[in-house]
């Protein structure tokens, strides 16, 4: 089966600019996650979708981050405006459903803020 | 906050040796998972162990869970250079089943 696809792989922007990341999960996976992974740390969950509804966004900085999953398939994560501390790898993962399921990760987007 | 904390932070061994890494956590959990992350790649699920299980095997991997000590260990036997990666434990608690990841153990296997 095809894995989780993410684009772009790398992005460099200046602070206060905006940026968007795209994720296409594994076909048939109802649950989609966005994580932020800062260098040297483990992934931190930003938002979880079940189909096109939000399950958990308690750690999403909503003043600058937004995410959507229209039609319950692809998802986009946006940052506007970006801050220096947003430099990180943004990982998308999907799983068959909610509950405890193995998550399948994409290779992420490495974001650098200048 | 990060629930699980891996130990050691870094581990360097020779090919053929066994590698053991540990994960400790603070509050009672439902499940514990181990993931591997190669440099520049996403995480790959290795194994899941439920709170009522004590040991699981998958190929060269052996995971133990001691809920009384709130700790888990991952043993990789007969390591290979291809095992070089970061290894993360992830725990979930309560009713959310959303895993919380630790900072990881960086394993280097020298050929």
């Amino acid at each position: 089966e095809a894995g989780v696809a993410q684009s772009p792989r790398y992005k460099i922007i200046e602070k206060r600019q905006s940026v968007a990341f795209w994720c296409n999960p594994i076909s048939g996976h109802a649950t989609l996650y966005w994580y932020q992974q800062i260098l040297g740390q483990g992934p931190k969950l930003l938002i979880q979708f079940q189909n096109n509804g939000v399950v958990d966004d308690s750690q999403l900085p909503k003043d600058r981050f937004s995410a959507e999953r229209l039609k319950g398939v692809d998802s986009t994560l946006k940052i506007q405006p970006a801050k220096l501390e947003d430099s990180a790898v943004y990982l998308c993962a999907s799983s068959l459903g909610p509950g405890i399921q193995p998550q399948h990760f994409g290779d992420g987007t490495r974001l650098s803020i200048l | 906050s990060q629930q699980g904390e891996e130990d050691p932070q870094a581990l360097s061994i020779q090919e053929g040796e066994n590698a053991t890494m540990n994960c400790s956590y603070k509050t009672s959990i439902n499940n514990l998972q181990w993931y591997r992350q190669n440099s520049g790649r996403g995480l790959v699920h290795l194994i899941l162990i439920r709170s009522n299980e004590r040991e699981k095997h998958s190929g060269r991997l052996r995971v133990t869970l001691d809920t009384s000590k709130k700790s888990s260990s991952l043993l990789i036997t007969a390591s290979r250079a291809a095992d070089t990666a970061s290894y993360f434990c992830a725990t979930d608690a309560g009713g959310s089943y959303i895993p919380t990841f630790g900072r990881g153990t960086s394993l280097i296997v020298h050929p």
Side-chain angles (χ1 to χ4, degrees):
Chain A
E1 63 181 7
V4 175
Q6 288 190 249
S7 67
R9 284 285 279 134
Y10 306 93
K11 191 72 178 178
I12 301 174
I13 62 172
E14 295 186 346
K15 60 183 179 183
R16 291 188 290 274
Q17 286 187 324
S18 63
V19 64
F21 314 123
W22 173 82
C23 172
N24 182 231
I26 291 173
S27 178
H29 280 196
T31 308
L32 185 146
Y33 311 80
W34 282 103
Y35 290 89
Q36 179 192 60
Q37 186 176 24
I38 293 172
L39 187 65
Q41 297 184 21
K44 183 185 90 170
L45 180 70
L46 294 175
I47 190 167
Q48 176 189 355
F49 290 95
Q50 176 65 21
N51 296 310
N52 60 349
V54 175
V55 174
D56 187 311
D57 64 355
S58 57
Q59 298 192 87
L60 186 73
K62 298 180 187 64
D63 57 334
R64 298 184 301 106
F65 286 64
S66 64
E68 60 182 12
R69 191 183 184 198
L70 299 176
K71 300 181 182 178
V73 182
D74 293 7
S75 178
T76 55
L77 176 70
K78 296 179 182 176
I79 308 175
Q80 182 179 13
K83 292 185 175 181
L84 292 175
E85 61 259 36
D86 299 332
S87 292
V89 175
Y90 290 85
L91 295 163
C92 178
S94 68
S95 64
L96 278 171
I100 193 64
Q101 300 266 359
Q103 294 184 28
H104 300 261
F105 283 78
D107 287 338
T109 296
R110 182 175 297 276
L111 175 65
S112 297
I113 313 293
L114 303 178
Chain B
S1 64
Q2 292 181 308
Q3 160 79 304
E5 290 296 332
E6 294 87 346
D7 172 68
Q9 287 189 333
L11 183 60
S12 181
I13 60 174
Q14 294 295 128
E15 208 165 31
E17 294 180 339
N18 294 342
T20 299
M21 51 206 89
N22 304 295
C23 171
S24 58
Y25 54 92
K26 296 187 175 71
T27 62
S28 295
I29 60 171
N30 300 320
N31 309 278
L32 187 145
Q33 301 178 74
W34 284 93
Y35 284 80
R36 183 188 76 231
Q37 185 177 34
N38 291 87
S39 181
R41 304 297 300 272
L43 282 75
V44 174
H45 183 263
L46 296 177
I47 203 160
L48 172 136
I49 187 164
R50 302 186 189 279
S51 60
N52 61 354
E53 297 175 312
R54 292 296 166 258
E55 188 171 313
K56 288 191 85 167
H57 297 254
S58 177
R60 293 183 297 113
L61 306 181
R62 173 178 170 248
V63 168
T64 61
L65 178 64
D66 186 334
T67 53
S68 67
K69 294 181 179 177
K70 292 187 171 60
S71 69
S72 172
S73 68
L74 170 66
L75 168 67
I76 305 173
T77 60
S79 63
R80 306 166 182 168
D83 295 327
T84 294
S86 291
Y87 291 81
F88 296 90
C89 70
T91 58
D92 65 273
S96 71
Y97 297 104
I98 295 174
T100 302
F101 290 84
R103 291 178 181 271
T105 291
S106 175
L107 172 66
I108 297 175
V109 181
H110 299 279

